[in-house]
Amino acid sequence: MNKIIMGLIMSLIIGFHSFAEPVKADETPIQIASEAAVLMDSQSGAILYGKNEDAKMYPASLTKIATAIYAIEKGNLDEQVNISEYATKIDGTKVYLNQGEQVTLKKLILGMMVNSGNDAALAIAIHLDGSLESYSKHVNEFLKKEVGVKNTHFTNPHGLFNENHYTTAEDLGRILNYAMKNKEFREIFGTKKIDWQGESWSTTLLSHHRILKGEIPYEGVTGGKTGFVDESKQTLATTADNGKVKLSAILLKSESKRKIYDDTIQLFDFGFANFKTSIIKKGEEFKTANKKFRANQAVFVTEPIVQAERKVSPEGMLTIKGKNGKAIQKLQLDEVANKRSEVKKTSRKPEQNGILPMNPVIGGGVFLMAAGFWVLNRKQKKGRRYRSR
């Protein structure tokens, strides 16, 4: 019975599953020195600022954001990873792993994210997929299927330069936003320092992100990752939260560290000053003309702090608009069918009980004729009584 009732309820709803469609927000007076940049609402995915956000770029160590969330979702953080000789011989920044050393997967992810250890990244990839080639195949499938990247192809887990290892600022923002939904990732991404006990050395690893560790003060920063190779220049990923909106900033190919942090602060200042995150509740209804629409699930939307406008098209597309009527975000709603009371039809013949069913007009005429005969009959009888006297 419950299944039947639920089926009837669902039959009143017409349309497809609700989805959020990010739209680039208003043009701003921001002056960003980095070659590519994007500022996004971490929860809704709305793009609040973009500069060459869909241009093909080399991400350097921001690649490790993808490696981290892939490892967290695919692996067991408590399992021991056996370090291969191949991983120990990689170039660049390391946590100085030894061949044959046993390290937990979580510790390797921390070493990769906090100290940007390339040896830790490579050890993770080999542990998860057996080889670098297999890792590349599987991580790209993961990013397309689970995250929805559009123009990303990774050949390695660490970000050392390869012409076929590329992404975009927008895709990196998508990857970061996806990762930030995971509690383990959020904790690791926000880690400023860790005590590292290894076979080669014992030390305290410090984050390379200058805002995250407090060298450049900025209130509300919740996580960060740096990157650099000659071909990529400086790259930076940062998240922040002021209690009204959670923001993700990606900056690519900056000529200097100072400029890339200045760019990040400009983006956060702009985002916090102008936007907030709201929730459209499951079942919330919107009307336009003679139609009614509703959201079939709770969804985050980004709205301007002032001059916010929600407008629904006749097709059920809800557009969140800001200053000058420019779109910030779009959401497809489901149409709710009109409830109309209908007379139930039956194939059963009516019971006659010896009386033939009549058309109302004919029935009325028969009644009047019968009444006339009755009156006439009464007059005739009365006349006979008078004559008999």
Side-chain angles (χ1 to χ4, degrees), residues 15 26 28:
D26 303 353
T28 71

Side-chain angles (χ1 to χ4, degrees), residues 9 11 16 70 87 99 127 129 131 139 154 205-206 216 226 263 268 287 289 293 330 354 375 378:
I9 293 173
S11 68
F16 298 100
Y70 175 70
Q99 180 182 354
H127 171 74
D129 291 303
S131 69
V139 77
F154 289 156
L205 301 179
L206 300 175
I216 300 175
T226 62
D263 287 348
F268 284 156
K287 295 180 181 179
F293 300 90
K330 293 183 179 181
V375 172
R378 291 274 297 176

Side-chain angles (χ1 to χ4, degrees), residues 118-387:
N118 292 337
D119 50 354
L122 190 52
I124 290 169
I126 294 172
H127 171 74
L128 292 175
D129 291 303
S131 69
L132 195 57
E133 293 75 17
S134 181
Y135 170 82
S136 176
K137 177 178 182 293
H138 291 140
V139 77
N140 285 314
E141 290 174 352
F142 169 81
L143 293 174
K144 288 179 182 178
K145 180 180 178 181
E146 303 298 332
V147 181
V149 297
K150 298 177 180 178
N151 189 26
T152 293
H153 182 265
F154 289 156
T155 61
N156 62 63
H158 39 66
L160 291 178
F161 179 73
N162 183 308
E163 286 188 359
N164 293 318
H165 186 94
Y166 57 83
T167 186
T168 67
E170 181 177 346
D171 273 1
L172 277 176
R174 290 176 182 270
I175 295 168
L176 180 54
N177 290 345
Y178 176 88
M180 287 296 287
K181 293 178 173 63
N182 184 285
K183 181 181 178 181
E184 291 285 355
F185 179 88
R186 290 197 303 272
E187 291 176 355
I188 292 171
F189 197 62
T191 299
K192 300 175 183 179
K193 64 178 182 178
I194 56 170
D195 293 327
W196 184 271
Q197 301 294 324
E199 289 185 359
S200 292
W201 63 334
S202 296
T203 187
T204 299
L205 301 179
L206 300 175
S207 171
H208 299 175
H209 197 292
R210 296 181 63 191
I211 300 179
L212 179 61
K213 64 183 178 181
E215 288 182 5
I216 300 175
Y218 194 88
E219 188 175 353
V221 168
T222 57
K225 182 75 190 76
T226 62
F228 176 84
V229 293
D230 289 339
E231 294 84 356
S232 304
K233 304 300 181 185
Q234 299 290 336
T235 64
L236 195 67
T238 316
T239 55
D241 179 3
N242 72 343
K244 296 180 180 178
V245 62
K246 295 179 180 180
L247 299 175
S248 301
I250 302 290
L251 284 303
L252 299 175
K253 203 168 187 179
S254 175
E255 294 294 332
S256 74
K257 287 185 179 180
R258 180 184 62 80
K259 288 182 179 180
I260 205 167
Y261 285 110
D262 287 346
D263 287 348
T264 299
I265 290 172
Q266 276 195 77
L267 291 178
F268 284 156
D269 283 348
F270 167 72
F272 287 146
N274 292 283
F275 300 99
K276 64 180 180 179
T277 303
S278 302
I279 298 177
I280 291 180
K281 298 178 182 178
K282 180 179 179 180
E284 187 170 343
E285 295 187 347
F286 301 84
K287 295 180 181 179
T288 178
N290 60 344
K291 292 184 178 180
K292 185 187 294 185
F293 300 90
R294 70 161 62 118
N296 66 8
Q297 65 176 357
V299 63
F300 290 107
V301 294
T302 310
E303 295 186 295
I305 294 175
V306 296
Q307 295 183 331
E309 180 186 1
R310 296 180 178 183
K311 188 172 182 179
V312 183
S313 73
E315 296 73 34
M317 181 66 75
L318 172 63
T319 302
I320 310 298
K321 295 186 176 183
K323 185 169 58 176
N324 300 326
K326 292 189 176 181
I328 296 172
Q329 191 174 5
K330 293 183 179 181
L331 176 74
Q332 180 63 54
L333 303 171
D334 290 342
E335 185 176 349
V336 182
N338 293 325
K339 297 179 180 179
R340 294 180 179 177
S341 59
E342 297 182 356
V343 177
K344 293 183 179 180
K345 296 181 179 179
T346 176
S347 60
R348 188 179 64 178
K349 294 182 179 180
E351 296 180 2
Q352 297 186 10
N353 295 325
I355 301 175
L356 293 176
M358 297 182 181
N359 180 287
V361 175
I362 297 173
V366 172
F367 175 79
L368 290 174
M369 289 174 64
F373 283 122
W374 181 82
V375 172
L376 180 60
N377 188 47
R378 291 274 297 176
K379 286 183 177 179
Q380 289 175 348
K381 287 182 178 180
K382 190 173 181 181
R384 283 197 297 270
R385 284 200 304 269
Y386 289 146
R387 287 193 297 270

Side-chain angles (χ1 to χ4, degrees), residues 81-90 97-102 119 122-124 126-127 130:
V81 177
N82 184 56
I83 306 303
S84 68
E85 181 182 10
Y86 181 47
T88 65
K89 292 185 175 181
I90 196 168
L97 300 168
N98 283 346
Q99 180 182 354
E101 185 175 355
Q102 298 285 318
D119 50 354
L122 190 52
I124 290 169
I126 294 172
H127 171 74

